[in-house]
């Protein structure tokens, strides 16, 4: 139960960050590294098929939300 709560808290942190800054977290800013590492870890789990269906749906929604802020000449 506590792992799910922690996952949901991190998800909300990343969602709030993206909403505020209109971009995904980057490794080039030390204060964003924690969020970026969470994103990388969950992306790897998603690719391996280890995320639960609920988390998978939420994570894909988050990735689509981040990609909606991509600019024309920006690699996403």
């Amino acid at each position: 139960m506590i792992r799910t709560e922690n996952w949901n808290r991190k998800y909300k942190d990343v969602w709030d960050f993206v909403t505020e800054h209109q971009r995904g977290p980057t490794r080039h800013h030390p204060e964003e590294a924690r969020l970026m590492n969470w994103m990388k870890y969950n992306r790897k789990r998603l690719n391996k098929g280890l995320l639960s269906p609920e988390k998978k749906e939420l994570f894909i929604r988050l990735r689509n939300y981040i990609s909606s802020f991509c600019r024309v000449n920006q690699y996403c």
Side-chain angles (χ1 to χ4, degrees):
M1 182 72 174
I2 198 151
R3 287 184 181 175
T4 303
E5 292 171 5
N6 286 337
W7 194 93
N8 289 331
R9 188 175 327 119
K10 292 279 190 180
Y11 176 83
K12 184 180 180 320
D13 290 345
V14 174
W15 187 275
D16 292 342
F17 175 84
V18 172
T19 302
E20 181 180 341
H21 297 285
Q22 297 185 349
R23 64 177 175 83
T26 178
R27 64 185 171 92
H28 300 291
H29 298 274
E31 61 275 5
E32 300 172 19
R34 176 179 58 87
L35 301 175
M36 183 65 203
N37 288 338
W38 184 86
M39 290 282 298
K40 282 190 336 185
Y41 175 74
N42 282 287
R43 186 177 61 238
K44 288 179 183 180
R45 289 181 51 91
L46 176 69
N47 291 338
K48 290 180 182 178
L50 299 175
L51 281 180
S52 67
E54 305 87 33
K55 290 180 182 178
K56 180 180 179 179
E57 181 180 329
L58 288 172
F59 191 74
I60 290 173
R61 189 174 126 211
L62 177 64
R63 284 185 8 184
N64 292 337
Y65 184 56
I66 290 171
S67 67
S68 72
F69 294 113
C70 290
R71 288 154 182 88
V72 173
N73 294 330
Q74 181 181 13
Y75 176 78
C76 295

